[in-house]
Amino acid sequence: MQNIAEMSDGFLCQLVAQGNREAEELLVVRYNRLVRICTRPFFLVGGDNEDLIQEGMVGLLKAIRGYDASKDASFRTFAEICIRSRLYSVVRNQNLNKNAALNHSVTVEAPFFDSNSYTAGSFDISQSNPEDLIILQESFNEMWKQVQNQLSEFEAKILGFYLDGLSYQEIAVKVRKSPKSVDNAVQRIRRKVARQIHPGEVSKS
């Protein structure tokens, strides 16, 4: 019998549908880094990292339990849509940290709402009004370009690794600096993002 750890995502999802908790736990471990990657842009704009990761995990579990292998999308694509949709919904509806700018943070990375919206059961990403998001994406992408122009070479390198989901310790090894130096760089990036969103309201220190 095939080792469960070697099974495909789709087959594991089928096992989950049959009540197999081990398969579910394996998928959570397998896609833990994807959750971190999806939450990073939201955190940079002002969210609480731990809260966002928890919400991202909720989206991942929804994907695991709702994936339909007969659809064209791979599980990873479906999981990413579910995670990002969950994060966007939480930010939009609960207004994390009472920071309205978070409503735009989903557009830090490439758009994930498009004409190929994926539907599985009661989950329909198209309900998120993609027309409005396109308008937000255009304005936010312009803001993000301005932020990137303000980053030092070191900060730009840190940002790339950070958005790839690497931990501070992993980034520190890559850039041959201490985790504290990495943390300081991330905080500087956050301040630059905040200043761009709210000019004159954030200290430059």
Coordinates of all heavy atoms in Angstrom, one line a residue, residues 78-150:
F78 N -6.5 26.1 -6.0 CA -7.8 26.3 -5.2 C -7.5 26.7 -3.8 O -8.2 27.6 -3.2 CB -8.5 25.0 -5.3 CG -9.9 25.0 -4.5 CD1 -10.8 26.0 -4.9 CD2 -10.2 24.1 -3.5 CE1 -12.0 26.0 -4.3 CE2 -11.4 24.2 -2.9 CZ -12.3 25.1 -3.2
A79 N -6.4 26.1 -3.2 CA -6.1 26.5 -1.8 C -5.7 27.9 -1.7 O -6.1 28.6 -0.8 CB -5.0 25.5 -1.3
E80 N -4.9 28.4 -2.7 CA -4.4 29.8 -2.6 C -5.6 30.7 -2.8 O -5.7 31.7 -2.1 CB -3.4 30.0 -3.8 CG -2.9 31.4 -3.7 CD -1.7 31.6 -4.7 OE1 -1.3 30.6 -5.4 OE2 -1.2 32.8 -4.8
I81 N -6.6 30.4 -3.6 CA -7.8 31.2 -3.8 C -8.6 31.3 -2.5 O -9.0 32.3 -2.0 CB -8.6 30.7 -4.9 CG1 -8.0 31.0 -6.3 CG2 -10.0 31.4 -4.9 CD1 -8.7 30.3 -7.5
C82 N -8.7 30.1 -1.9 CA -9.5 30.0 -0.6 C -8.8 30.8 0.5 O -9.5 31.5 1.3 CB -9.7 28.6 -0.2 SG -10.8 27.6 -1.2
I83 N -7.5 30.7 0.6 CA -6.7 31.4 1.7 C -6.8 32.9 1.5 O -7.2 33.6 2.4 CB -5.3 30.9 1.6 CG1 -5.1 29.5 2.1 CG2 -4.4 31.8 2.6 CD1 -3.8 28.8 1.7
R84 N -6.6 33.3 0.2 CA -6.6 34.8 0.0 C -8.0 35.3 0.1 O -8.2 36.5 0.6 CB -6.0 35.1 -1.4 CG -4.6 34.8 -1.5 CD -4.0 35.2 -2.9 NE -2.7 34.8 -3.1 CZ -1.6 35.5 -2.7 NH1 -1.8 36.6 -2.0 NH2 -0.4 35.1 -3.0
S85 N -9.0 34.6 -0.3 CA -10.4 35.0 -0.2 C -10.8 35.2 1.3 O -11.4 36.1 1.7 CB -11.3 34.1 -0.9 OG -12.7 34.5 -0.7
R86 N -10.3 34.2 2.1 CA -10.6 34.3 3.6 C -9.9 35.5 4.2 O -10.6 36.3 4.9 CB -10.1 33.0 4.2 CG -10.2 33.0 5.8 CD -11.6 33.0 6.2 NE -11.7 33.1 7.7 CZ -12.8 32.9 8.4 NH1 -13.9 32.7 7.7 NH2 -12.8 33.0 9.7
L87 N -8.7 35.8 3.8 CA -8.0 36.9 4.4 C -8.6 38.2 3.9 O -8.8 39.1 4.7 CB -6.5 36.9 3.9 CG -5.7 35.8 4.5 CD1 -4.3 35.7 3.7 CD2 -5.4 36.0 6.0
Y88 N -9.0 38.3 2.7 CA -9.6 39.5 2.2 C -11.0 39.7 2.9 O -11.3 40.9 3.3 CB -9.9 39.4 0.7 CG -10.5 40.7 0.1 CD1 -9.8 41.8 -0.2 CD2 -11.9 40.7 -0.1 CE1 -10.4 43.0 -0.6 CE2 -12.5 41.8 -0.6 CZ -11.7 43.0 -0.9 OH -12.3 44.1 -1.3
S89 N -11.8 38.7 3.0 CA -13.1 38.8 3.7 C -12.9 39.3 5.1 O -13.7 40.1 5.6 CB -13.8 37.5 3.6 OG -14.1 37.1 2.3
V90 N -12.0 38.7 5.8 CA -11.7 39.1 7.2 C -11.3 40.6 7.3 O -11.9 41.3 8.2 CB -10.7 38.2 7.9 CG1 -10.2 38.8 9.2 CG2 -11.2 36.8 8.1
V91 N -10.4 41.0 6.5 CA -10.0 42.3 6.5 C -11.1 43.3 6.1 O -11.3 44.3 6.8 CB -8.8 42.5 5.5 CG1 -8.5 44.0 5.3 CG2 -7.5 41.8 6.1
R92 N -11.8 42.9 5.1 CA -12.9 43.8 4.7 C -14.0 43.9 5.7 O -14.6 45.0 6.0 CB -13.5 43.2 3.3 CG -14.6 44.1 2.7 CD -15.2 43.3 1.6 NE -15.7 42.0 1.9 CZ -15.9 41.0 1.1 NH1 -15.7 41.2 -0.2 NH2 -16.4 39.9 1.5
N93 N -14.4 42.8 6.3 CA -15.6 42.8 7.2 C -15.3 43.2 8.6 O -16.1 43.8 9.3 CB -16.2 41.4 7.1 CG -16.8 41.0 5.8 OD1 -17.2 41.9 5.0 ND2 -16.8 39.7 5.5
Q94 N -14.1 42.8 9.1 CA -13.8 43.1 10.5 C -12.8 44.2 10.7 O -12.6 44.7 11.8 CB -13.2 41.8 11.1 CG -14.2 40.7 11.2 CD -13.6 39.4 11.8 OE1 -12.6 39.5 12.5 NE2 -14.3 38.3 11.7
N95 N -12.2 44.7 9.5 CA -11.3 45.8 9.6 C -10.3 45.7 10.6 O -10.2 46.4 11.6 CB -12.1 47.1 9.8 CG -11.4 48.4 9.3 OD1 -10.4 48.2 8.6 ND2 -11.9 49.5 9.7
L96 N -9.4 44.7 10.4 CA -8.3 44.4 11.4 C -7.5 45.6 11.7 O -7.2 46.4 10.9 CB -7.4 43.4 10.7 CG -7.8 41.9 10.7 CD1 -6.8 41.1 10.0 CD2 -8.1 41.4 12.1
N97 N -7.3 45.8 13.1 CA -6.6 46.9 13.6 C -7.1 48.2 13.3 O -6.5 49.3 13.4 CB -5.1 46.8 13.2 CG -4.3 45.7 13.8 OD1 -4.7 45.2 14.9 ND2 -3.2 45.3 13.2
K98 N -8.4 48.2 12.8 CA -9.1 49.5 12.5 C -8.3 50.3 11.4 O -8.3 51.5 11.5 CB -9.4 50.3 13.7 CG -10.3 49.6 14.7 CD -10.6 50.5 15.9 CE -11.4 49.8 16.9 NZ -12.7 49.2 16.4
N99 N -7.6 49.6 10.6 CA -6.8 50.2 9.5 C -7.5 50.0 8.2 O -7.3 48.9 7.6 CB -5.4 49.6 9.5 CG -4.5 50.3 8.6 OD1 -4.9 51.2 7.8 ND2 -3.2 50.1 8.7
A100 N -8.1 51.0 7.7 CA -8.9 50.8 6.4 C -8.0 50.5 5.3 O -8.4 49.9 4.3 CB -9.7 52.1 6.1
A101 N -6.7 50.9 5.4 CA -5.8 50.6 4.3 C -5.6 49.1 4.0 O -5.3 48.7 2.9 CB -4.4 51.2 4.5
L102 N -5.9 48.3 5.0 CA -5.8 46.8 4.9 C -6.8 46.3 3.8 O -6.5 45.3 3.2 CB -6.1 46.1 6.2 CG -4.9 45.9 7.1 CD1 -5.3 45.4 8.5 CD2 -3.9 44.9 6.5
N103 N -7.8 47.1 3.6 CA -8.8 46.6 2.6 C -8.2 46.5 1.2 O -8.7 45.9 0.3 CB -10.0 47.6 2.5 CG -10.9 47.4 3.8 OD1 -10.9 46.4 4.4 ND2 -11.6 48.5 4.1
H104 N -7.1 47.2 1.0 CA -6.4 47.2 -0.3 C -5.2 46.3 -0.3 O -4.6 46.1 -1.4 CB -5.9 48.6 -0.6 CG -7.0 49.7 -0.6 ND1 -7.8 50.0 -1.6 CD2 -7.5 50.4 0.5 CE1 -8.7 50.9 -1.2 NE2 -8.5 51.2 0.0
S105 N -4.8 45.7 0.8 CA -3.6 45.0 0.8 C -3.5 43.7 0.0 O -2.5 43.3 -0.4 CB -3.3 44.6 2.3 OG -4.3 43.7 2.8
V106 N -4.7 43.2 -0.4 CA -4.7 42.0 -1.2 C -4.0 42.2 -2.6 O -3.6 41.3 -3.2 CB -6.2 41.5 -1.4 CG1 -6.9 42.4 -2.4 CG2 -6.2 40.1 -2.0
T107 N -3.9 43.5 -3.0 CA -3.4 43.8 -4.3 C -1.9 44.0 -4.3 O -1.3 44.3 -5.3 CB -4.0 45.0 -4.9 OG1 -3.9 46.1 -3.9 CG2 -5.5 44.8 -5.2
V108 N -1.2 43.7 -3.2 CA 0.3 43.8 -3.2 C 0.9 42.8 -4.2 O 1.8 43.1 -4.8 CB 0.8 43.5 -1.8 CG1 2.3 43.3 -1.8 CG2 0.5 44.6 -0.8
E109 N 0.2 41.7 -4.3 CA 0.7 40.7 -5.2 C -0.2 40.6 -6.4 O -1.2 41.3 -6.5 CB 0.9 39.3 -4.6 CG 1.9 39.4 -3.5 CD 2.1 38.0 -2.8 OE1 1.6 37.0 -3.4 OE2 2.7 37.9 -1.8
A110 N 0.1 39.7 -7.3 CA -0.7 39.6 -8.6 C -2.2 39.3 -8.2 O -2.5 38.6 -7.3 CB -0.2 38.5 -9.4
P111 N -3.1 39.8 -9.0 CA -4.5 39.6 -8.8 C -4.9 38.1 -8.8 O -4.4 37.3 -9.5 CB -5.2 40.3 -10.0 CG -4.2 41.3 -10.5 CD -2.9 40.6 -10.2
F112 N -5.8 37.7 -7.9 CA -6.2 36.3 -7.8 C -7.7 36.2 -8.1 O -8.2 35.1 -8.2 CB -5.9 35.7 -6.5 CG -6.6 36.3 -5.3 CD1 -7.8 35.7 -4.8 CD2 -6.2 37.4 -4.7 CE1 -8.5 36.3 -3.8 CE2 -6.8 38.0 -3.6 CZ -8.0 37.4 -3.2
F113 N -8.4 37.3 -8.4 CA -9.7 37.3 -8.8 C -9.7 37.5 -10.4 O -9.2 38.5 -10.8 CB -10.6 38.4 -8.2 CG -10.8 38.2 -6.7 CD1 -10.0 38.9 -5.8 CD2 -11.7 37.4 -6.2 CE1 -10.1 38.7 -4.5 CE2 -11.9 37.2 -4.9 CZ -11.1 37.9 -4.0
D114 N -10.1 36.6 -11.1 CA -10.1 36.7 -12.6 C -11.3 36.0 -13.2 O -12.2 35.5 -12.5 CB -8.8 36.2 -13.2 CG -8.5 34.8 -12.8 OD1 -9.5 34.0 -12.6 OD2 -7.3 34.4 -12.7
S115 N -11.3 36.0 -14.5 CA -12.4 35.4 -15.2 C -12.5 33.9 -15.0 O -13.5 33.3 -15.4 CB -12.3 35.7 -16.7 OG -11.1 35.2 -17.2
N116 N -11.4 33.3 -14.5 CA -11.4 31.8 -14.3 C -11.8 31.5 -12.8 O -11.2 30.6 -12.2 CB -10.1 31.3 -14.6 CG -9.7 31.5 -16.0 OD1 -10.5 31.3 -16.9 ND2 -8.4 31.9 -16.2
S117 N -12.8 32.2 -12.3 CA -13.2 32.0 -10.9 C -13.6 30.6 -10.7 O -14.2 29.9 -11.5 CB -14.4 32.9 -10.5 OG -14.0 34.3 -10.6
Y118 N -13.2 30.1 -9.5 CA -13.4 28.6 -9.2 C -14.5 28.5 -8.2 O -14.6 29.2 -7.2 CB -12.1 28.1 -8.6 CG -12.1 26.6 -8.4 CD1 -11.4 25.8 -9.2 CD2 -12.8 26.0 -7.3 CE1 -11.3 24.4 -9.1 CE2 -12.8 24.6 -7.2 CZ -12.0 23.8 -8.0 OH -12.0 22.5 -7.8
T119 N -15.4 27.5 -8.6 CA -16.6 27.3 -7.7 C -16.5 25.8 -7.2 O -16.3 24.9 -8.0 CB -17.9 27.5 -8.4 OG1 -17.9 28.8 -8.9 CG2 -19.1 27.3 -7.5
A120 N -16.7 25.6 -5.9 CA -16.8 24.3 -5.4 C -17.8 24.3 -4.3 O -17.6 24.9 -3.2 CB -15.4 23.8 -4.8
G121 N -18.9 23.6 -4.5 CA -19.9 23.6 -3.5 C -20.5 25.0 -3.3 O -20.9 25.6 -4.2
S122 N -20.5 25.4 -2.0 CA -21.1 26.8 -1.7 C -20.1 27.9 -1.9 O -20.4 29.0 -1.7 CB -21.7 26.8 -0.3 OG -20.6 26.5 0.6
F123 N -18.8 27.5 -2.2 CA -17.7 28.5 -2.2 C -17.7 29.0 -3.7 O -17.4 28.3 -4.6 CB -16.4 27.9 -1.9 CG -15.2 28.8 -2.0 CD1 -15.0 29.7 -0.9 CD2 -14.4 28.8 -3.1 CE1 -13.9 30.6 -1.0 CE2 -13.4 29.7 -3.2 CZ -13.1 30.6 -2.1
D124 N -17.8 30.3 -3.8 CA -17.8 31.0 -5.1 C -17.0 32.3 -5.0 O -17.4 33.2 -4.5 CB -19.2 31.3 -5.6 CG -19.2 31.7 -7.1 OD1 -18.1 31.9 -7.6 OD2 -20.2 31.9 -7.7
I125 N -15.8 32.2 -5.5 CA -14.9 33.4 -5.4 C -15.4 34.6 -6.2 O -15.1 35.7 -5.8 CB -13.5 33.0 -5.9 CG1 -12.4 34.0 -5.4 CG2 -13.4 32.9 -7.4 CD1 -12.1 33.9 -4.0
S126 N -16.3 34.3 -7.2 CA -16.8 35.4 -8.0 C -17.7 36.3 -7.2 O -18.0 37.5 -7.6 CB -17.5 34.9 -9.2 OG -18.7 34.1 -8.8
Q127 N -18.1 35.9 -6.0 CA -19.0 36.7 -5.2 C -18.3 37.9 -4.6 O -18.9 38.8 -4.0 CB -19.7 35.9 -4.1 CG -20.6 34.8 -4.6 CD -21.1 34.0 -3.5 OE1 -20.8 34.1 -2.3 NE2 -22.0 33.0 -3.9
S128 N -17.0 38.0 -4.7 CA -16.2 39.0 -4.1 C -16.1 40.3 -5.0 O -15.3 41.2 -4.7 CB -14.8 38.5 -3.8 OG -14.8 37.5 -2.9
N129 N -16.9 40.4 -6.0 CA -17.0 41.6 -6.9 C -15.6 41.9 -7.5 O -15.0 42.9 -7.1 CB -17.5 42.8 -6.0 CG -18.0 43.9 -6.9 OD1 -17.8 43.9 -8.1 ND2 -18.8 44.8 -6.4
P130 N -15.2 41.2 -8.4 CA -13.9 41.4 -9.0 C -13.7 42.7 -9.7 O -12.6 43.3 -9.8 CB -13.7 40.2 -10.0 CG -15.1 39.7 -10.2 CD -15.8 40.0 -9.0
E131 N -14.8 43.3 -10.2 CA -14.8 44.6 -10.9 C -14.3 45.7 -9.9 O -13.4 46.5 -10.3 CB -16.2 45.0 -11.4 CG -16.7 44.1 -12.6 CD -17.2 42.8 -12.1 OE1 -17.4 42.6 -10.9 OE2 -17.5 42.0 -13.0
D132 N -14.8 45.7 -8.7 CA -14.3 46.6 -7.7 C -12.8 46.4 -7.4 O -12.1 47.3 -7.2 CB -15.1 46.6 -6.4 CG -16.6 47.1 -6.6 OD1 -16.8 47.8 -7.6 OD2 -17.4 46.8 -5.8
L133 N -12.4 45.1 -7.3 CA -11.1 44.8 -6.9 C -10.1 45.3 -8.0 O -9.0 45.7 -7.7 CB -10.9 43.3 -6.7 CG -11.5 42.8 -5.4 CD1 -11.4 41.3 -5.4 CD2 -10.8 43.4 -4.2
I134 N -10.5 45.2 -9.3 CA -9.6 45.7 -10.3 C -9.3 47.2 -10.1 O -8.1 47.6 -10.3 CB -10.3 45.5 -11.7 CG1 -10.3 44.0 -12.0 CG2 -9.5 46.2 -12.8 CD1 -11.1 43.6 -13.3
I135 N -10.3 48.0 -9.8 CA -10.1 49.4 -9.5 C -9.1 49.6 -8.3 O -8.2 50.4 -8.4 CB -11.4 50.1 -9.2 CG1 -12.3 50.0 -10.4 CG2 -11.1 51.5 -8.8 CD1 -13.7 50.6 -10.2
L136 N -9.3 48.8 -7.3 CA -8.4 48.9 -6.1 C -7.0 48.4 -6.5 O -6.0 49.0 -6.0 CB -8.9 48.0 -5.0 CG -10.3 48.4 -4.4 CD1 -10.6 47.4 -3.3 CD2 -10.2 49.8 -3.8
Q137 N -6.9 47.4 -7.3 CA -5.6 46.9 -7.7 C -4.8 48.0 -8.5 O -3.6 48.1 -8.2 CB -5.8 45.7 -8.6 CG -6.2 44.4 -7.8 CD -6.7 43.3 -8.6 OE1 -6.8 43.4 -9.9 NE2 -7.0 42.2 -8.0
E138 N -5.4 48.7 -9.4 CA -4.7 49.7 -10.1 C -4.1 50.8 -9.3 O -3.0 51.2 -9.4 CB -5.7 50.3 -11.2 CG -6.1 49.3 -12.3 CD -7.1 49.8 -13.3 OE1 -7.6 50.9 -13.0 OE2 -7.3 49.2 -14.3
S139 N -5.0 51.3 -8.3 CA -4.5 52.4 -7.5 C -3.4 51.8 -6.5 O -2.4 52.5 -6.2 CB -5.6 53.0 -6.7 OG -6.3 52.0 -5.9
F140 N -3.6 50.6 -6.0 CA -2.7 50.1 -5.0 C -1.3 49.7 -5.7 O -0.3 49.9 -5.1 CB -3.2 48.9 -4.3 CG -2.5 48.6 -3.0 CD1 -2.7 49.2 -1.8 CD2 -1.4 47.6 -3.1 CE1 -2.0 48.9 -0.7 CE2 -0.7 47.3 -2.0 CZ -1.0 47.9 -0.8
N141 N -1.4 49.2 -6.9 CA -0.2 48.8 -7.6 C 0.7 50.0 -7.8 O 1.9 49.9 -7.7 CB -0.5 48.1 -8.9 CG -1.0 46.7 -8.7 OD1 -0.8 46.1 -7.6 ND2 -1.7 46.1 -9.7
E142 N 0.1 51.1 -8.1 CA 0.8 52.4 -8.3 C 1.5 52.8 -7.0 O 2.7 53.2 -7.0 CB -0.1 53.5 -8.8 CG 0.6 54.8 -9.0 CD 1.7 54.7 -10.1 OE1 1.6 53.9 -11.0 OE2 2.7 55.4 -9.9
M143 N 0.8 52.7 -5.9 CA 1.3 53.0 -4.6 C 2.5 52.1 -4.3 O 3.5 52.5 -3.8 CB 0.2 52.9 -3.5 CG 0.7 53.3 -2.1 SD 1.5 52.0 -1.2 CE 0.2 50.8 -0.9
W144 N 2.3 50.8 -4.6 CA 3.4 49.8 -4.3 C 4.6 50.1 -5.0 O 5.7 49.9 -4.5 CB 2.8 48.4 -4.5 CG 3.7 47.3 -4.0 CD1 4.4 46.4 -4.8 CD2 4.1 47.1 -2.7 NE1 5.2 45.6 -3.9 CE2 5.0 46.0 -2.7 CE3 3.7 47.6 -1.4 CZ2 5.5 45.5 -1.5 CZ3 4.2 47.1 -0.3 CH2 5.1 46.0 -0.3
K145 N 4.5 50.5 -6.3 CA 5.7 50.9 -7.1 C 6.5 52.0 -6.4 O 7.7 52.0 -6.4 CB 5.3 51.3 -8.5 CG 4.8 50.2 -9.4 CD 4.4 50.7 -10.7 CE 3.8 49.5 -11.6 NZ 3.4 50.0 -12.9
Q146 N 5.7 53.0 -5.9 CA 6.4 54.1 -5.2 C 7.1 53.6 -3.9 O 8.2 54.1 -3.6 CB 5.3 55.2 -4.9 CG 4.7 55.8 -6.1 CD 3.7 56.9 -5.8 OE1 3.8 57.5 -4.7 NE2 2.7 57.0 -6.6
V147 N 6.5 52.7 -3.2 CA 7.1 52.1 -2.0 C 8.4 51.4 -2.4 O 9.5 51.6 -1.7 CB 6.2 51.1 -1.3 CG1 7.0 50.4 -0.2 CG2 5.0 51.9 -0.7
Q148 N 8.4 50.6 -3.4 CA 9.6 49.9 -3.9 C 10.7 50.8 -4.2 O 11.9 50.5 -4.0 CB 9.2 49.0 -5.0 CG 8.3 47.8 -4.6 CD 8.0 46.9 -5.8 OE1 7.5 47.4 -6.8 NE2 8.1 45.6 -5.6
N149 N 10.4 52.0 -4.8 CA 11.4 53.0 -5.2 C 12.1 53.6 -3.9 O 13.2 54.1 -4.0 CB 10.8 54.1 -6.0 CG 10.4 53.6 -7.4 OD1 10.9 52.7 -7.9 ND2 9.4 54.3 -8.0
Q150 N 11.4 53.4 -2.8 CA 12.0 54.0 -1.5 C 12.8 53.0 -0.8 O 13.5 53.3 0.2 CB 10.9 54.5 -0.6 CG 10.0 55.6 -1.2 CD 8.8 56.0 -0.4 OE1 8.8 55.6 0.8 NE2 7.9 56.6 -1.0

